[in-house]
Amino acid sequence: AVGSEAYASNLGESTGLSVKYASGPILAGLGYLNIKDTTAGAPDNRANATLVYGGYDLGMAKVIAYYDAETAVTGTQRLSVLGLKAIVPVSADLTVQAGISKAKNVAGSSASDDNAVTTAVKAVYKLSKRTSVYGLGTIVSNGDGANKGISGVSISNGGTAGAIAAGVAHAF
């Protein structure tokens, strides 16, 4: 029909907008993402995410806090993540990062303990201007109603698991 759109023809279409302010020791930003028709064959669905962050360079360390809110396709439960991260330059070539975040409504249900806490520590050593090696350790602790995993590995509801990773990063 004239002026109509085929059902789910915009499957996965997304629109995003972000604003960043960085001046001197201050860092702040806001981001928004809207994804249309995230499920084929379903009614016109949308998922939204909003990220707000701010940071300050103390000289001996940078501290960054952030808040992320995401609405699921059904819009019934809202995932929210609150986090804090510190970046400490140990030397000109070595940086250590540590962070902790708490996610609420991970499973998107109304479960009373649908939360997860993630803690991570990362070290990055510069080999050259564009190449570095890194090591990362992460621990995820789920509430009784959450099943957040690490890198595609499932963790049972109420479970805790850790992972380590190491690698080489090169900027092209």
Side-chain angles (χ1 to χ4, degrees):
V2 177
S4 68
E5 181 178 289
Y7 180 74
S9 64
N10 58 352
L11 181 65
E13 183 179 296
S14 63
T15 305
L17 173 69
S18 66
V19 178
K20 177 180 175 181
Y21 174 82
S23 179
I26 299 171
L27 170 68
L30 172 68
Y32 175 78
L33 177 65
N34 176 277
I35 303 172
K36 299 177 185 176
D37 288 326
T38 56
T39 307
D44 187 22
N45 291 313
R46 300 176 193 283
N48 301 305
T50 303
L51 172 68
V52 178
Y53 62 92
Y56 194 81
D57 188 342
L58 301 168
M60 63 184 165
K62 291 181 185 176
V63 179
I64 300 168
Y66 57 92
Y67 176 76
D68 175 49
E70 300 177 16
T71 302
V73 174
T74 60
T76 56
Q77 292 294 323
R78 186 174 183 93
L79 167 71
S80 62
V81 180
L82 183 62
L84 183 64
K85 177 179 181 179
I87 305 168
V88 180
V90 178
S91 69
D93 295 327
L94 178 63
T95 303
V96 175
Q97 303 174 19
I100 186 166
S101 65
K102 181 171 184 174
K104 293 184 176 186
N105 293 325
V106 172
S109 71
S110 56
S112 61
D113 193 8
D114 182 7
N115 305 325
V117 175
T118 303
T119 307
V121 176
K122 180 179 183 181
V124 179
Y125 185 78
K126 293 181 189 175
L127 298 174
S128 69
K129 185 176 180 180
R130 297 178 11 196
T131 306
S132 60
V133 292
Y134 64 88
L136 169 69
T138 303
I139 296 173
V140 175
S141 180
N142 287 326
D144 291 336
N147 59 359
K148 182 171 175 52
I150 301 174
S151 299
V153 176
S154 296
I155 302 172
S156 63
N157 291 19
T160 298
I164 57 171
V168 178
H170 183 77
F172 290 95

